[in-house]
Amino acid sequence: MLISPQPPAGEEVRVEAVMNAISDLFGKVPEGMKLFALSPEILEQRWAGMQYYLHHPRLSMGLLAFIRLLVSERMQAPFCIGLNIAILQKSGISPGAIDAARRDPALAPLAKEEIGLLQLVLKAVAEPLAVTAHDLEAARQQGWSDRDILDAILHGANNVAADIVFNTFKVDVTAC
């Protein structure tokens, strides 16, 4: 990493508490999250966001992981690509199925309505001005609420921001 992610003086206990919670959940702290130790407030916000999506009432872990993976592909963000491939494989999705989805998101091993929402998120991230009322109505017709649509698109947009940060500071790709 281009900078050393040390917590500010006096904030070590605060940062350690969040890092311990992350480690308890994932078995370790991903390198990208370590970067946020520099800003305890941002670290806490990122952790709260992670918890929200981990317990999302409608968006599945598979859908969310494919959103992150495919957004990171477009952002050329190797850390998030590797991390999300590992997450998907750990959940039982084969490397072949992941590779197929990377080539064509419509081939992701997700329910039909999840593929529709995934494609909407990818469109929103790539060309937000091209998203139309028709696109949103199509998602609604697949059973998604406006909250689900907002949450999914925000997840993709937040991933773009994280990819920019991780690429800028050269988060270790091998640490997935």
Side-chain angles (χ1 to χ4, degrees):
M1 237 185 286
L2 294 180
I3 57 177
S4 177
Q6 299 302 315
E11 298 284 0
E12 297 87 358
V13 172
R14 180 180 180 189
V15 168
E16 184 179 6
V18 176
M19 295 297 186
N20 287 339
I22 293 168
S23 181
D24 288 347
L25 181 65
F26 295 109
K28 68 177 185 175
V29 178
E31 290 299 301
M33 288 303 288
K34 290 178 185 177
L35 179 63
F36 298 119
L38 288 161
S39 179
E41 294 80 6
I42 298 297
L43 175 64
E44 290 170 344
Q45 289 173 12
R46 300 287 301 180
W47 174 233
M50 287 172 62
Q51 290 178 309
Y52 174 71
Y53 284 103
L54 283 169
H55 304 289
H56 198 280
R58 300 275 326 273
L59 305 179
S60 73
M61 288 298 102
L63 172 61
L64 294 168
F66 273 110
I67 288 171
R68 292 187 305 270
L69 172 61
L70 298 176
V71 166
S72 295
E73 286 272 339
R74 292 175 183 204
M75 294 297 298
Q76 300 177 1
F79 172 75
C80 284
I81 292 168
L83 179 64
N84 284 290
I85 287 173
I87 289 169
L88 289 165
Q89 287 178 340
K90 192 172 185 177
S91 74
I93 298 175
S94 74
I98 295 168
D99 288 342
R102 291 171 76 184
R103 287 189 303 278
D104 180 357
L107 299 176
L110 299 169
K112 181 181 176 182
E113 64 275 4
E114 288 181 313
I115 290 173
L117 187 56
L118 172 62
Q119 290 173 322
L120 174 58
V121 170
L122 296 175
K123 181 177 183 177
V125 169
E127 299 179 85
L129 295 176
V131 174
T132 66
H134 179 270
D135 294 318
L136 299 180
E137 186 55 35
R140 290 183 194 108
Q141 291 298 315
Q142 293 175 328
W144 299 110
S145 69
D146 286 351
R147 176 183 177 177
D148 298 332
I149 296 165
L150 171 67
D151 287 354
I153 292 173
L154 188 58
H155 193 65
N158 284 338
N159 202 84
V160 169
D163 288 341
I164 291 169
V165 171
F166 297 156
N167 282 347
T168 298
F169 292 107
K170 314 297 184 261
V171 171
D172 186 1
V173 176
T174 64
C176 297

